[in-house]
Each structure stands twice: as C-alpha cells, then as structure tokens.
Amino acid sequence: MAKRVGVIDIGSNSVRMVVYEKTSRFAFHILHECKSSVRLSQDAYQNAGTLQEIPMQRTFDALENFLSIINSFKARKILCVATSALRDAPNRKDFLNKVKHKLGLKIKVINGERESYLGAVACANLLPKQTNALSIDIGGGSTEFSLINDKNITNNISLKLGTVRIKELYFDKDDIQGAKIYIDSQLESLDNINPTSIIGIGGTFRAVSSAIMTSKSYPFDKLHAFESSHDEFSNYLDKILSSNEDELKKLHIKKARYDIIKPGALILSRILQKFNIKKLITSGVGVREGLYLTDLLRNSKDKLPLNYNASVRYILDLHVDNKDYANQLSKLAKNIFDLTYEFLEIDKKYRYELGLVAKLFTSGSNMHFYSQHKHNYHLLQNALEYGFTHQQTMLIATLSRYANRKNPSPIHVEKYAELLPSVEILNKLTNLLSLSISLLRHRPRNIDFEMKFDNDTLNISSKNKLYLAQESVKKLSSLENLEINFL
C-alpha cells in the first residue's frame, strides 16, 4: 500500500477529504483533512432525485481543490467514493463523466450496504471495544446501520432517511407528523435488531454531541469516543426540536446546521424511542476511515490485529527514539504493579494504563528535552485518538505529566475529576510510574536488578551499584506505607 493515501467521501450534504500517512505496517496518522458543505443533494429530492446544476458545480469545484491538496502531499493513491445523492440520481453519469474527464478522478458510487459496512469497520477498529452496538450514520440522503460486536460486523442496512431528504419532503412543507410516520415506517427494517448501545457517525450526531459537551462544560475537548446517557441525549434532542433559531444558538448548534439539524434530530429521536438503549457513543470516524482501513487491512479481513492500537504504534514510530528503554520501563512498571497492587489496594484494571504510559513516557523528549513532561501530556492527550475511552486517555496523559515530579495538582484533578480515578489511586499510580523511572535512571542495556516484595517492603537487589537509582528514589513522594530497600 502507498505510504500516503488521499481519501474523498462525497456525501449528500458534505464532501470530505483526508490525507493519511502510514508509519509502519498498520499504523497511520492524518496529515491533512478538509470538508466542504456543498449540499450536492440540494433541491434534488423534490425533483425525483435529479442533481441540480449549482450544487453539482459546487461539488466539482471542491473536488478540484481537494485534488490540489492531495497532490501537494505527493500522495500516490486516491480512494474516492460517493454515497446517497449520486447513487439515487438519474443524471449521475453526467457528473461522474465530467469529473473523470476534467479532473482525472474516478469516483466509485457505492451502495447503501457498503456505505454502512465502511462506517462500521472504522468504528469496530478505532473505538474502544463495543458489544451489541448499533452504528448509525445519518447523512443528507440516507441513514446507514450496522450491528457491531467487538470487530464483527453484521446487519448492514441502508434506509432512505436523511437530513436533506426529510427537510425537503416534509419540514419545508411543515408536515412534521408526516415525517414521523415516514421515519417510523422506514425503521421497521430494524425490527429484528435489539442493540444495547448506539454508536453515532455523521454530522447530525456529532453536532448534537458537541453541543451537549459545550452545554455542560465537559472538560475534555475530544469528540471521538464521547459517551452520553440515553436520557441526556434524548432530552437534548427534544430541546432542539422545540427551538427556534435564536434558541438553537443558545443550545450551541452551529448556524450552518440550523436548517437540517431538526430533521436529523427527529430521525435520532425516533430511533431512540424504538430501542432500549443504555448509552450512546460518538464516533469521530466514519466512511473515510473505513475506506482507508479496508484498503490497508485487505489481507486481514478488515480487522486490526488483536490488542493492536494504531495510535500507540504511530506514537512509537514517530516520537519514541529509544524503544528498548521504552519496553524496559513498561515491563518494569507492570512488574512493580504486579508485586504491590494488592498491598496498595489498586484495581488490577489500571495495570494496562500504567504499562502503556511507561512505554510512551519519553514521547515528548524529542520535541524539547527540558519541557518533555508538558509535551508528553499534550501529545498523549491528543494523539491517543483511537481505541481509548476518555477516562483512559486522561489517565494516561495525567500520569505522563506528573511522573517523576510531585503528585497531580489539585487544580488539574478538580478540572478532570469526572474522567479520573480517585485522588488516592491517581497518586499511587503516579508514584509507581515515578519509582519505575527512578530504578532505570542509569539506563542499563538490560534490567540489572531483581525485585521481591515482602510484607510492606519492595526489596531491590543487584550485583551493580545502583547509585543513581537510590539517589532518585530518595527524592520521590511517599508511596503510602510501601518501603523501598536496596540490598
């Protein structure tokens, strides 16, 4: 596969472009992304799906600029798909031929089931593990559904439900009751599915989630993997549906979505009434990422390897210079955890995060050695994009920021309290990581000491003089009643 790939997704409402760079076999990151709200399907649904000249020209112009951007990054491969607006249009060949002959871009028009599958592939691989979750991708012309269990995807369904479609056929005619009847009739195709959670893809879902985050001053500025309860989300949809434009602004809905947010909210509201949903997860990934992943993973059944995380691998590839030390520190941190977690009364589930932050602890040092803690924190907070809950990301970033220093500051803990474990557990984990760093202060080629835990004492024995380690350990904050003894 080419190292750099451009991906374009032509939807009914927006066209999106992203340039990915592969850093190792399955690891990648985004070099650039761009979006244009071209409204390709504008006025199409009241004209039997026929695309109109002005929206088609807007889309053509956006694609021309997208290709210029992709070429500037010297991407050697371009993947381009189109969804509902083009697949439903009687005059789609006119547009496809114009783009092919004038821009040299071949657009693949995919059916609804394929569109649903691509979105689900992205969610299954790039969100924390989900069980019995229904992915929902509300677009301008259609809505796609898939059932996700871990990385297994079934029940790929596409329905003729979309924000622009419902707007033009019902909302513009002030026929809200007709819209409800139509939406419910379409949703009958999902009668044999009983999900316990929903994964939301697409602009409408993300717009609502973003508004909820803003309204409650959510402390973490990351939309991907944001979780909301059924009641919280449903109540917000009700507010949107009953609001005028001034009230939508107060609900933190962006002006560009004023005309289509209510049709999208109504679709979501009817879906939530249909299922017994416990939680809703917002996906920042969708068709574009799914298209890229199916190309990247075409020999792996569209699944990343077990226990593989693309974001972690990307950070290791580009930001960790001494991988031997990173692996040693991770191994040591987990060993100390295994010896002491029962005594310290720490839940065993935190072993994973401790080992991971130890492995990535030096990621900020190649930016600037003397401010590596700050760079570690911001890099991990933002670049741990895929496969982590917000709680995991904030814990890992916080540990990296305060390791080998004082315990996390009260201001930081207060700000992120809803995403972090208790202060007591946070301090213990920070000190375990700090202890691991101190014991490897001399950077041995291989770990040159042994550890045994006896009663309340961690005994460190070595044939070598661990002078720097002993000096460093003396400076550490107290770790409850745990004693460190060098033999």
Side-chain angles (χ1 to χ4, degrees):
M1 184 179 182
K3 186 174 182 179
R4 291 184 175 180
V5 177
V7 177
I8 300 174
D9 170 20
I10 305 172
S12 303
N13 189 47
S14 303
V15 288
R16 299 170 181 268
M17 180 275 300
V18 65
V19 179
Y20 294 104
E21 180 177 57
K22 188 168 72 164
T23 60
S24 55
R25 187 181 180 190
F26 295 128
F28 61 91
H29 66 125
I30 294 175
L31 290 177
H32 190 83
E33 68 174 357
C34 191
K35 169 190 170 183
S36 179
S37 300
V38 296
R39 295 285 178 92
L40 177 58
S41 62
Q42 185 176 28
D43 297 328
Y45 299 111
Q46 53 190 316
N47 288 285
T50 301
L51 300 176
Q52 304 299 295
E53 287 300 323
I54 293 177
M56 281 196 292
Q57 187 60 50
R58 287 197 300 257
T59 306
F60 179 90
D61 293 341
L63 291 174
E64 185 175 33
N65 284 188
F66 283 178
L67 291 176
S68 176
I69 294 171
I70 291 171
N71 289 334
S72 76
F73 284 95
K74 296 181 173 58
R76 295 189 177 184
K77 190 172 190 177
I78 299 177
L79 306 172
C80 180
V81 295
T83 54
S84 176
L86 273 169
R87 69 172 170 253
D88 291 345
N91 59 336
R92 64 179 175 274
K93 288 186 178 180
D94 296 337
F95 181 79
L96 295 173
N97 289 335
K98 179 181 178 181
V99 171
K100 182 178 180 181
H101 292 136
K102 292 192 174 184
L103 300 181
L105 176 65
K106 186 176 181 180
I107 300 171
K108 183 175 183 179
V109 181
I110 58 175
N111 62 33
E113 289 71 25
R114 180 63 178 174
E115 181 182 357
S116 176
Y117 178 75
L118 291 176
V121 165
C123 294
N125 283 287
L126 303 179
L127 276 170
K129 181 178 178 181
Q130 302 296 329
T131 302
N132 195 30
L134 183 67
S135 65
I136 301 176
D137 187 356
I138 299 178
S142 64
T143 297
E144 279 66 45
F145 302 84
S146 292
L147 196 62
I148 300 174
N149 279 291
D150 195 3
K151 293 181 182 178
N152 299 311
I153 301 166
T154 57
N155 298 79
N156 300 305
I157 298 170
S158 179
L159 303 179
K160 291 186 180 298
L161 291 173
T163 56
V164 180
R165 187 190 295 268
I166 297 300
K167 170 187 177 296
E168 292 187 0
L169 295 181
Y170 295 98
F171 274 71
D172 287 352
K173 300 173 183 178
D174 199 26
D175 184 11
I176 309 305
Q177 186 59 32
K180 292 179 181 179
I181 293 171
Y182 174 75
I183 292 169
D184 290 347
S185 68
Q186 287 285 304
L187 293 178
E188 289 176 2
S189 298
L190 306 175
D191 284 351
N192 64 334
I193 299 175
N194 294 294
T196 53
S197 60
I198 280 177
I199 299 173
I201 310 171
T204 295
F205 201 101
R206 292 168 188 159
V208 176
S209 293
S210 179
I212 292 173
M213 291 170 69
T214 302
S215 70
K216 67 178 187 176
S217 300
Y218 188 71
F220 193 17
D221 186 21
K222 180 175 286 191
L223 193 58
H224 185 63
F226 169 70
E227 294 187 10
S228 180
S229 69
H230 175 280
D231 289 347
E232 179 181 53
F233 206 92
S234 182
N235 290 338
Y236 215 86
L237 291 176
D238 290 342
K239 292 178 182 178
I240 290 172
L241 289 169
S242 63
S243 295
N244 56 35
E245 286 193 1
D246 289 338
E247 291 167 335
L248 287 176
K249 182 178 180 180
K250 293 178 182 178
L251 289 173
H252 311 289
I253 302 299
K254 294 179 180 179
K255 186 176 181 179
R257 286 204 167 266
Y258 283 177
D259 64 334
I260 58 172
I261 192 63
K262 287 189 177 183
L266 184 61
I267 294 170
L268 278 172
S269 180
R270 306 309 288 183
I271 291 171
L272 291 184
Q273 289 182 39
K274 184 177 182 66
F275 299 116
N276 182 24
I277 298 298
K278 296 179 181 179
K279 67 176 180 178
L280 298 95
I281 306 104
T282 305
S283 172
V285 298
V287 171
R288 290 174 303 161
E289 289 79 8
L291 184 59
Y292 178 75
L293 286 171
T294 53
D295 193 48
L296 178 69
L297 304 171
R298 57 188 177 277
N299 296 320
S300 303
K301 298 181 180 179
D302 300 338
K303 299 177 181 180
L304 287 168
L306 186 66
N307 299 323
Y308 183 93
N309 186 284
S311 293
V312 172
R313 188 68 252 177
Y314 147 67
I315 295 172
L316 289 170
D317 288 343
L318 295 191
H319 297 286
V320 176
D321 292 328
N322 191 335
K323 294 179 178 56
D324 288 338
Y325 172 74
N327 288 329
Q328 279 185 19
L329 187 58
S330 179
K331 179 180 178 181
L332 178 60
K334 289 186 286 189
N335 285 347
I336 294 175
F337 183 92
D338 291 340
L339 290 170
T340 63
Y341 79 93
E342 290 182 334
F343 173 77
L344 295 173
E345 298 182 336
I346 305 174
D347 194 314
K348 195 172 183 178
K349 69 180 182 179
Y350 293 117
R351 183 181 190 271
Y352 172 72
E353 286 85 356
L354 181 66
L356 185 56
V357 70
K359 180 172 287 190
L360 301 178
F361 178 70
T362 62
S363 59
S365 61
N366 66 349
M367 300 179 200
H368 187 256
F369 179 80
Y370 292 109
S371 55
Q372 63 175 302
H373 280 80
K374 178 177 70 176
H375 294 306
N376 283 350
Y377 174 71
H378 291 296
L379 177 64
L380 298 183
Q381 189 183 48
N382 291 283
L384 287 178
E385 187 71 32
Y386 304 133
F388 294 97
T389 65
H390 285 191
Q391 289 83 356
Q392 287 179 306
T393 301
M394 276 311 308
L395 174 58
I396 292 167
T398 298
L399 293 177
S400 75
R401 179 175 182 174
Y402 291 99
N404 217 30
R405 307 172 80 187
K406 295 181 180 179
N407 287 329
S409 74
I411 294 175
H412 179 88
V413 173
E414 182 180 359
K415 179 178 179 180
Y416 295 104
E418 65 181 286
L419 298 175
L420 292 171
S422 69
V423 174
E424 182 182 12
I425 295 299
L426 189 60
N427 289 344
K428 290 177 181 178
L429 291 171
T430 302
N431 289 326
L432 286 180
L433 179 58
S434 299
L435 174 60
S436 305
I437 296 167
S438 294
L439 290 175
L440 290 182
R441 183 68 68 186
H442 57 306
R443 296 288 183 102
R445 179 170 295 183
N446 297 298
I447 295 177
D448 56 354
F449 54 85
E450 294 181 352
M451 300 181 298
K452 289 186 179 180
F453 183 69
D454 186 21
N455 292 325
D456 61 352
T457 303
L458 184 65
N459 293 302
I460 314 293
S461 61
S462 175
K463 295 179 180 178
N464 301 317
K465 292 184 178 179
L466 304 178
Y467 176 78
L468 292 178
Q470 293 186 58
E471 184 181 45
S472 182
V473 168
K474 290 178 183 178
K475 299 177 182 178
L476 295 179
S477 300
S478 173
L479 193 66
E480 288 292 309
N481 297 318
L482 179 66
E483 298 292 332
I484 311 298
N485 182 37
F486 288 88
L487 302 177

